[in-house]
Amino acid sequence: MGTPAIAVSAVTTHPTQKSDPLSDTAAAMRAYLQDLAAKKQFTGTALVVRRGEVLVRAAAGAADAEKHIPNRPDTVFRIASVTKQFTSMIVLKLRDRGLLDLDDQVCPYLIPAYIRTCPQAWRPITIREILTHTSGIPDIQQLPGFYAKLSQPTTTRKLIQRFVNKPLDFKPGTSWKYSNSGYILAGAIIQAVTRKPYGTVLHEEITGPLSLRHTGYSRGNPPAGYAKGNCTVGSPAAPINGSQAFSATGIYANADDIVRWDRSFGAHLVAPPATVKQAFTPQAPCPSSGCLNLPSSAYAFGWLVDRLHGHRLRYHPGLLQGYAASNMYLPDDDIAVVVLSNVEDTDTNGIARHLATMALKSASAHDR
């Protein structure tokens, strides 16, 4: 996998080896990341792939500062809310199999394993609404005590109990507001219809078939060697127990696997063309400030909908105690950009957007 970075401030890059018209762009990307790393504004990994060709594959900073282990291009990170792309696709695949329908109400799937009775306000809420943040269910991460409990083991039932009786933020289907709670319910429904743990279904439906060997879900910690989280450079974050993050933010992966995941959409390897198209299709309009206050016009199934210099862009950010992530895919251009960081205040979305813009401009010049 190449030589690891030799110092916290260094960047190890793995560009494409063959000489080609995109080499100037690859060099510019390396210089950009090296400059950010020198300023301690990039700690983690970054990978840009265009039509199967690696433009840059970089690592910077420490995966575990205490043990003097540097980040490598293949280091595993918690990917936080990039998890939502995987959970949504599992639900779509179960729908394809006839195990559920997107417009089914959620409550029948949750009783009695996860909730004793269905709150009156929840009765109209559908599976589609919990996946597209239009259910009105308040976000568990915004409730008091969420971060204090993040390092403690829990169960899916206990997670749901924390928000099941909270008043809705709005009438289901009438607005958009980001809610990790909806994706926790989606994980519960996945377990209910398959009668298997979420991590097992993730492997059977996605990571196994796509050979994503460094991607998975653990109710505790990711496998040994994963990048330890930091609030800021040199300031370790409190640990995360995977059971608290669950199907909303709990998946771990490395950049290579995420790019493979992105490109599986374009190759229709993850699901049939109609299902892939639906995953990328706008489902709910964003607020005027954009979903999550990021450039976007709508939310699809685990993807923000945007255009970058006129090109279709599907992406999702990730932010959780100690980690930041951004996964960007331009389906018409087959460009994938992944930035994973174990420093929470890293501007992974800004870095990814800059790299995606560089890749687009070079592609335009190359194709002329």
Side-chain angles (χ1 to χ4, degrees):
M1 286 296 184
T3 305
I6 58 173
V8 172
S9 62
V11 170
T12 302
T13 57
H14 297 247
T16 181
Q17 296 301 308
K18 61 184 180 179
S19 178
D20 61 66
L22 299 179
S23 59
D24 288 347
T25 298
M29 287 179 175
R30 293 196 299 274
Y32 167 67
L33 292 171
Q34 286 168 340
D35 180 60
L36 289 178
K39 297 174 181 175
K40 297 188 177 180
Q41 294 175 356
F42 168 56
T43 296
T45 64
L47 178 61
V48 182
V49 176
R50 174 182 179 257
R51 296 180 182 171
E53 183 174 14
V54 176
L55 295 182
V56 72
R57 185 170 180 262
D64 188 332
E66 185 179 345
K67 296 182 179 178
H68 306 287
I69 300 172
N71 280 319
R72 297 168 52 102
D74 60 349
T75 294
V76 166
F77 295 77
R78 289 192 179 278
I79 63 171
S81 286
V82 177
T83 296
K84 292 177 173 65
Q85 301 172 353
F86 293 84
T87 298
S88 281
M89 180 51 72
I90 292 171
V91 172
L92 291 175
K93 287 167 74 71
L94 297 179
R95 184 278 314 270
D96 288 351
R97 205 175 301 157
L99 295 177
L100 53 81
D101 189 86
L102 293 179
D103 296 314
D104 286 347
Q105 295 171 343
V106 300
C107 282
Y109 292 95
L110 302 173
I111 299 170
Y114 299 105
I115 57 175
R116 191 170 298 133
T117 58
C118 181
Q120 184 70 31
W122 280 29
R123 291 182 182 177
I125 294 173
T126 65
I127 295 175
R128 185 189 303 271
E129 289 167 344
I130 62 173
L131 293 177
T132 58
H133 305 289
T134 57
S135 70
I137 296 173
D139 184 2
I140 188 174
Q141 287 196 22
Q142 304 303 316
L143 299 180
F146 174 80
Y147 291 97
K149 297 175 181 176
L150 201 50
S151 63
Q152 305 166 13
T154 190
T155 65
T156 305
R157 182 181 177 88
K158 287 179 180 177
L159 281 176
I160 295 171
Q161 294 304 313
R162 287 159 64 181
F163 58 83
V164 66
N165 292 314
K166 301 293 182 184
L168 297 186
D169 289 331
F170 51 81
K171 182 180 176 182
T174 64
S175 188
W176 188 93
K177 188 175 181 182
Y178 195 71
S179 177
N180 288 284
S181 305
Y183 271 79
I184 289 170
L185 297 182
I189 291 170
I190 288 168
Q191 293 183 154
V193 301
T194 63
R195 300 183 181 181
K196 297 175 182 177
Y198 173 78
T200 300
V201 182
L202 173 69
H203 177 74
E204 291 179 353
E205 297 293 337
I206 295 175
T207 63
L210 296 180
S211 297
L212 307 182
R213 296 184 179 90
H214 302 283
T215 302
Y217 167 73
S218 166
R219 292 186 56 80
N221 292 319
Y226 76 100
K228 302 296 175 62
N230 296 270
C231 298
T232 58
V233 174
S235 177
I240 297 168
N241 187 281
S243 63
Q244 294 279 357
F246 191 42
S247 48
T249 56
I251 290 178
Y252 59 81
N254 67 8
D256 298 310
D257 274 9
I258 298 295
V259 164
R260 191 178 183 94
W261 159 249
D262 291 342
R263 300 192 72 232
S264 76
F265 279 75
H268 301 127
L269 296 174
V270 66
T275 304
V276 169
K277 181 179 179 181
Q278 185 174 23
F280 282 161
T281 299
Q283 298 295 309
C286 289
S288 58
S289 59
C291 291
L292 292 166
N293 295 314
L294 291 169
S296 49
S297 61
Y299 197 88
F301 286 99
W303 297 86
L304 296 184
V305 175
D306 192 20
R307 298 190 81 84
L308 186 63
H309 302 289
H311 297 248
R312 282 199 308 154
L313 171 64
R314 299 295 181 266
Y315 76 105
H316 208 286
L319 187 66
L320 190 62
Q321 189 164 281
Y323 297 90
S326 186
N327 179 28
M328 295 191 172
Y329 183 55
L330 293 103
D332 301 327
D333 305 273
D334 191 12
I335 293 173
V337 180
V338 178
V339 181
L340 306 178
S341 179
N342 57 324
V343 176
E344 187 178 333
D345 69 350
T346 301
D347 183 14
T348 48
N349 294 303
I351 295 170
R353 186 170 288 267
H354 187 78
L355 291 170
T357 298
M358 295 172 79
L360 265 181
K361 289 181 177 178
S362 72
S364 176
H366 178 257
D367 293 340
R368 278 202 296 268

